[in-house]
Amino acid sequence: MTWTSIVDTSRIAAGGFADFATGLTSPQIRLGVTGLARAGKTVFITALVHALLRQARLPVFETQSEGRILRTYLEPQPNDDLPRFAYEKHLDALTGENRHWPESTRQISQLRLTIEYAPESFFARNFSSGRLHIDIVDYPGEWLLDLPLMQQSYAQWSASVVAQSRKGPRAELAKDWHAHLASLKADERQDELQAVKASQLFTSYLASCRSREVSLSSLPPGRFLMPGDLDGSPLLSFAPLDVMPDQNFSSGTLGALMERRYQSYVSHVVKPFYFGHFARLNRQIVLVDVLSALNAGFHAVNDLRDALTDIMGSFRLGANDMVSNLFGKRIDKVLFCATKADLLHHASHDRLESILRLLVHEAARKAEFSGATFDALALSAIRATREATVTRKGEELPCIAGIPEKGEVIGKDIFEGETEAAIFPGDLPVHPQAALQGLSEGSLQFVKFRPPLLTGETFPHIRLDRAVEFLLGDRFP
Ligand SMILES: Nc1nc2c(ncn2[C@@H]2O[C@H](COP(=O)(O)OP(=O)(O)OP(=O)(O)O)[C@@H](O)[C@H]2O)c(=O)[nH]1
Ligand SMILES: [Mg+2]
C-alpha cells in the first residue's frame, strides 16, 4: 500500500468512524440521489420528502400501508460541511402562485428526515428505538463519472478521451478543439495561455455533446460542465493532449503542466468527493433520463450505456473498499430509475422499465459488478399529466394530457402555458433490444408540461412507492 493510499484510507476512516458511532445509537441510512444534469434529482427528493412527511398514498410501501409509521419530520443537518437541500424553496416553486419546476442545482446538498415507527419483530420491540434517520444526499452524476480518473494517469486519460472524440457524432462537435489540439505538442515549452485555451475549447466541446439534440452522457471531468464553486479555478485549466497512453513528460513541457493539473484535479476534487461523501453512502438511487437518450438516437443510447457501465464500476469500487468493509458501510442497494414516465401513456411504462433494466444488466456484466442488490424502475416523482384517449380518423390513440409550458411547440401550435392539451407521445417498442438500436426519427414526441396543480394533500406520482419500498422498506424491523 502506498503512502497516499494510507492517508486516503484514514480520511474515510475518520468519517466512517463518526457514522459508525452514531449508527450504534440510532439507525441511519445515507441515501445518495444522483443522476446527470436535468435527470430529475431535485424533483425526486422534493416529492419523496413531501410524500413521506404527508403520509401520501404509497400502497407498495408496506410499513406505511400496515399503519406502522407514527411520525415523520425533518431534523437539523448532522454534517456541518454540507449545504442543506432547499426543500421548502423547491416546494414553494412547485406549489406557489405561478407554479413552476425548481431551479437547476449545481451543488451537493443534504437533508435529514426522521421516521418514527412501531417496531414489529420481537427483537426490535425490545431493543430498537423505533426511529430511523434518513440522510438524503443529492449530488451531480457528473461527479460520479469522475471516479475512474483516480485509477488513470493523465496520459491514459488523454489517449482515451481523444480517441472517443474522433468517433460518431462527437467528431463534428470536436472540430474547433481538434484544430487547436493539432497545433499543440506535449514536449513544447509549457505555456499557461495555451493550457487555458485548450481547456476552454475542450469544455465547449463537452457542452455541445450535452446539448438536447445529441444528448451524450459520458463526459468527464465532471466539474468542467458542473463546476460548482470551482468556476474559473486553475484546477480546471487543463485538457487532453494527443499522446500515447504510456507517454512520459519531461519537466517544463506543456505535457508536464497538463499532467500536474490533472493530478491536482484528482487529488483536490475527485478524491475528497469520493472519501468525504461517496464512500459513506449505503443506499443509492440513480436517476436516468432514458427518454431523452432514446429520442436523441443510437449514439446517445450508446453513450448512456457507457455512462451506466462507469457508474456500475464506481459502485463496485465502493463495495470493495477496505474501510467500508471494516465499518460495514457500503452501498448494499442501488436503484436505477427512468424518470419522467408521465410523458408516456401507461401502456409504455413497463416497456420503459424493460429498456432500462436491459441497459443496467449489460452495464453490470461489463463492469463485473457484484456485492449489492440492484433493480430498475420507470417512475414519475411528480406526475404532470393524466391519461386521455383521442379518436383520430376513426382510430383511438392513447394520449397524455397536461398543460404544456409557455413557448412549447407542437406542429403549428405554440402554447401559452395556461390551457390543457392532449398529446400522442408515441409508443416504445415491445422488445427492449429494438429500442436500443435507436428509434426512428420522430417516433416519440415530447413537450415540457407545467407541474400539476396541487389539489389534495399530496402530489400524484407513478411508482414512487416502489422506489421507497426498495430503498427503505427493509429498515423498519
Ligand atoms: N413531467 C415530468 N417532468 C419532470 C419530472 N421530474 C423532473 N421533470 C422535469 O425535468 C426537469 C429537471 O428536473 P430536476 O429535478 O431539476 O433535475 P436535476 O437532476 O435536479 O437537474 P440539475 O439540478 O440541473 O442537475 C424539471 O425542470 C422538469 O421539467 C416528472 O416526474 N415529470
Ligand atoms: Mg437539481
Side-chain angles (χ1 to χ4, degrees):
M1 185 184 275
T2 63
W3 188 79
T4 44
S5 67
I6 293 170
V7 174
D8 288 341
T9 304
S10 65
R11 260 201 262 183
I12 176 184
F17 189 74
D19 293 345
F20 178 70
T22 39
L24 285 180
T25 45
S26 295
Q28 118 197 69
I29 288 189
R30 285 181 78 80
L31 169 65
V33 178
T34 196
L36 299 174
R38 316 311 290 145
K41 301 177 289 293
T42 305
V43 171
F44 174 82
I45 297 174
T46 309
L48 172 74
V49 171
H50 192 255
L52 291 173
L53 286 176
R54 303 268 176 117
Q55 301 223 1
R57 237 182 69 76
L58 299 171
V60 176
F61 177 29
E62 278 181 21
T63 314
Q64 182 159 307
S65 43
E66 289 163 3
R68 290 203 290 124
I69 303 286
L70 305 177
R71 202 157 80 92
T72 305
Y73 46 93
L74 295 174
E75 279 204 274
Q77 294 282 96
N79 304 87
D80 296 334
D81 55 342
L82 271 179
R84 181 176 183 274
F85 178 86
Y87 170 70
E88 295 77 10
K89 183 176 139 212
H90 300 316
L91 188 62
D92 275 356
L94 287 161
T95 54
E97 201 178 324
N98 179 25
R99 67 183 193 282
H100 58 90
W101 297 104
E103 301 290 318
S104 190
T105 46
R106 290 284 173 260
Q107 275 292 1
I108 186 163
S109 65
Q110 185 195 40
L111 191 68
R112 167 166 281 203
L113 184 80
T114 297
I115 300 184
E116 289 178 5
Y117 63 98
E120 193 179 39
S121 69
F122 171 79
F123 185 84
R125 274 203 312 273
N126 287 286
F127 298 104
S128 98
S129 60
R131 192 180 298 134
L132 177 69
H133 299 300
I134 304 166
D135 291 323
I136 304 173
V137 183
D138 170 5
Y139 67 91
E142 286 79 359
W143 298 5
L144 193 61
L145 290 175
D146 271 356
L147 298 185
L149 303 190
M150 294 195 293
Q151 292 162 326
Q152 276 179 332
S153 69
Y154 169 70
Q156 286 167 334
W157 171 73
S158 277
S160 74
V161 170
V162 171
Q164 186 189 41
S165 72
R166 290 185 170 137
K167 283 194 249 158
R170 291 185 181 235
E172 180 62 29
L173 303 171
K175 257 182 163 164
D176 292 346
W177 168 50
H178 281 169
H180 184 247
L181 183 66
S183 72
L184 299 177
K185 289 210 169 43
D187 55 5
E188 71 189 82
R189 220 165 59 82
Q190 61 178 4
D191 179 344
E192 179 66 44
L193 293 181
Q194 291 287 34
V196 170
K197 182 151 188 221
S199 91
Q200 283 166 348
L201 288 165
F202 176 59
T203 308
S204 328
Y205 152 71
L206 294 177
S208 57
C209 289
R210 241 244 312 264
S211 70
R212 185 161 163 175
E213 308 82 75
V214 193
S215 212
L216 301 176
S217 308
S218 188
L219 304 163
R223 302 293 165 117
F224 279 49
L225 291 180
M226 202 56 74
D229 49 8
L230 289 180
D231 215 356
S233 156
L235 280 173
L236 304 187
S237 47
F238 67 93
L241 289 170
D242 196 358
V243 294
M244 300 303 287
D246 54 357
Q247 193 148 334
N248 290 317
F249 308 102
S250 11
S251 70
T253 60
L254 183 65
L257 174 68
M258 295 286 203
E259 183 178 45
R260 200 181 68 227
R261 294 256 162 90
Y262 172 87
Q263 285 163 350
S264 300
Y265 180 83
V266 171
S267 50
H268 296 299
V269 178
V270 185
K271 286 189 175 175
F273 166 68
Y274 178 72
F275 292 106
H277 304 299
F278 181 76
R280 293 166 63 185
L281 299 172
N282 42 21
R283 295 274 153 104
Q284 177 68 57
I285 178 164
V286 182
L287 304 176
V288 189
D289 193 349
V290 178
L291 287 175
S292 292
L294 290 176
N295 214 24
F298 177 70
H299 290 291
V301 174
N302 248 350
D303 245 58
L304 179 59
R305 253 195 187 114
D306 291 347
L308 286 171
T309 309
D310 286 349
I311 287 174
M312 278 288 192
S314 310
F315 290 138
R316 190 193 53 194
L317 207 73
N320 292 338
D321 193 284
M322 186 189 103
V323 181
S324 28
N325 284 337
L326 201 64
F327 290 105
K329 265 268 170 201
R330 59 156 105 180
I331 293 175
D332 61 353
K333 278 186 151 191
V334 185
L335 182 63
F336 290 85
C337 288
T339 49
K340 312 176 198 180
D342 59 333
L343 300 183
L344 294 172
H345 190 267
H346 78 262
S348 283
H349 293 166
D350 283 342
R351 297 181 187 176
L352 180 61
E353 206 162 287
S354 310
I355 293 168
L356 180 63
R357 185 162 291 129
L358 183 64
L359 279 168
V360 167
H361 278 274
E362 273 182 14
R365 192 167 32 76
K366 268 204 231 152
E368 295 174 14
F369 180 81
S370 66
T373 314
F374 62 91
D375 202 2
L377 189 67
L379 66 68
S380 167
I382 296 186
R383 179 177 196 161
T385 67
R386 60 184 180 84
E387 311 236 303
T389 308
V390 170
T391 313
R392 195 182 292 160
K393 293 181 189 154
E395 195 193 348
E396 291 210 327
L397 289 179
C399 289
I400 51 167
I403 302 177
E405 289 194 346
K406 189 169 179 201
E408 287 291 297
V409 181
I410 299 181
K412 288 190 214 108
D413 297 326
I414 304 175
F415 293 93
E416 87 305 334
E418 296 299 333
T419 39
E420 197 181 63
I423 287 152
F424 175 61
D427 297 317
L428 292 175
V430 180
H431 297 294
Q433 272 298 358
L436 299 189
Q437 298 312 312
L439 303 175
S440 50
E441 219 183 299
S443 54
L444 294 178
Q445 173 160 249
F446 299 122
V447 293
K448 274 190 86 176
F449 291 98
R450 285 184 72 185
L453 187 63
L454 186 65
T455 47
E457 272 283 289
T458 53
F459 291 106
H461 64 83
I462 297 170
R463 301 183 181 177
L464 182 63
D465 51 341
R466 282 177 50 188
V468 175
E469 180 62 23
F470 179 87
L471 292 166
L472 309 175
D474 60 334
R475 299 301 295 266
F476 302 95

